Amino acid sequence: MADNGIKAGEAVEVLVSVIMPAWNCAGTIGKAIDSVLVQDVPLELIVVNDTSPDDLDAVMKTYASDPRIRYVKNEHNLGASGSRNRGVALAKGSYVAFLDADDWWEKGKLKKQMQLLTATQAVLCSTGRELLTPDGRQTGRVIGVPEEITYRKLLHHNCINCSSVVLRTDVAREFPMEHEDSHEDYILWLRILKKYGRAVAVNEPLLKYRLSSKGKSGSKLQSARMTYRVYRYVGMSRWQSLVCFCMYAVNGVWKYARAYFLTCTLLVSVLL
């Protein structure tokens, strides 16, 4: 397959460039790619092979005839944030969307987000998500998202999932992802909202998100450390970072306590 995935002489109209970092994902990436290709907006898909050790090349060969797909390879491992930055640099669309290679979208996701972005003139739009087991089975859990997200609201809780985001390309280039020792996507959203004021969201589970304990934030303690670093990286003092982290932690405890209460209430109603 050619490095850019587009045959000579073929013009592809692009509104949204979908960026998909790929590492050790040959078993899941097909579902992710298929969910992009059924979206009803003009798009391109940029798959960035981050020195994947599996049979990713073989999987990508099955998509070689689709001119919407561009398949590029990193010479050295850049990590998810570096691979996303490379994809953003290559993007031809006015907007970029991020999708991890083990997640997938509902049909119509991008169209709903583009309609909302056009109506509100916001620079970033996310969606709700449905949580799945690592092998893709439903858990029954849906995570909603506020329809309007401000900088202050985001400080208390990162309600924006990276695989749900559509973002104006010029803004993505203005704020590249950095600090992979932390929640680099959370840092990005905060920087964007601090300048542009707000984001919007479609409060529907249009993202299907696989849970995994193998990610860098799988440990609650490690995730807490990374969240504190987020506040430091966006320029807050130690005191400000501590205050924000405490609010973040309280919000997290309340969220899980509420989910537990609702589950128990549902169970009791079923038993009765």
Side-chain angles (χ1 to χ4, degrees):
M1 182 175 184
D3 191 52
N4 64 7
I6 300 178
K7 296 179 180 180
E10 285 190 295
V12 179
E13 181 188 6
V14 177
L15 176 63
V16 181
S17 297
V18 181
I19 315 300
M20 186 180 294
W23 187 87
N24 203 25
C25 57
T28 62
I29 195 170
K31 192 170 186 66
I33 291 174
D34 291 343
S35 78
V36 172
L37 298 181
V38 297
Q39 299 299 313
D40 42 4
V41 302
L43 60 80
E44 65 175 349
L45 169 61
I46 304 174
V47 177
V48 183
N49 183 333
D50 195 25
T51 66
S52 187
D54 57 7
D55 294 328
L56 182 58
D57 284 349
V59 176
M60 294 308 302
K61 283 180 180 177
T62 65
Y63 294 94
S65 62
D66 196 318
R68 294 172 293 176
I69 298 177
R70 304 167 67 189
Y71 181 46
V72 299
K73 298 182 180 181
N74 294 336
E75 292 184 7
H76 308 286
N77 185 274
L78 299 179
S81 58
S83 296
R84 291 189 190 110
N85 290 342
R86 186 182 181 195
V88 169
L90 294 171
K92 295 180 179 179
S94 300
Y95 293 84
V96 294
F98 300 116
L99 179 60
D100 288 346
D102 55 352
D103 300 330
W104 70 90
W105 293 334
E106 286 282 357
K107 187 175 181 180
K109 171 189 179 288
L110 291 184
K111 186 174 183 179
K112 289 183 178 182
Q113 288 181 282
M114 290 309 307
Q115 289 172 338
L116 184 57
L117 284 166
T118 300
T120 61
Q121 297 299 300
V123 301
L124 186 154
C125 180
S126 66
T127 75
R129 66 191 188 272
E130 180 181 2
L131 304 185
L132 308 172
T133 63
D135 60 357
R137 291 178 291 110
Q138 291 180 315
T139 65
R141 291 183 60 195
V142 171
I143 307 297
V145 62
E147 294 181 353
E148 181 173 279
I149 306 165
T150 63
Y151 176 75
R152 184 175 293 276
K153 186 179 293 184
L154 194 65
L155 281 174
H156 299 169
H157 169 55
N158 181 17
C159 54
I160 300 175
N161 185 276
C162 190
S163 283
S164 77
V165 164
V166 175
L167 172 64
R168 233 172 54 195
T169 302
D170 63 314
V171 177
R173 289 174 178 162
E174 181 183 2
F175 296 102
M177 285 193 177
E178 298 176 323
H179 304 300
E180 197 148 346
D181 63 331
S182 183
H183 298 297
E184 68 276 3
D185 56 337
Y186 189 20
I187 297 171
L188 175 59
W189 317 144
L190 285 170
R191 286 175 171 169
I192 291 172
L193 265 61
K194 188 173 185 179
K195 177 174 180 178
Y196 290 96
R198 64 170 183 146
V200 293
V202 179
N203 189 21
E204 299 177 29
L206 302 177
L207 166 64
K208 306 305 178 183
Y209 178 80
R210 293 184 201 249
L211 295 169
S212 174
S213 60
K214 296 181 180 179
K216 65 180 183 179
S217 59
S219 160
K220 297 295 184 185
L221 181 59
Q222 175 67 2
S223 182
R225 291 194 186 105
M226 291 164 65
T227 299
Y228 175 79
R229 288 193 201 115
V230 165
Y231 302 125
R232 297 291 286 149
Y233 283 139
V234 298
M236 293 184 177
S237 68
R238 285 187 173 87
W239 172 248
Q240 289 172 319
S241 299
L242 182 60
V243 170
C244 284
F245 176 77
C246 289
M247 291 189 295
Y248 190 101
V250 168
N251 186 77
V253 170
W254 165 246
K255 180 182 69 173
Y256 285 106
R258 182 173 180 273
Y260 178 76
F261 174 77
L262 291 175
T263 301
C264 291
T265 301
L266 178 61
L267 181 60
V268 169
S269 66
V270 171
L271 293 176
L272 294 177

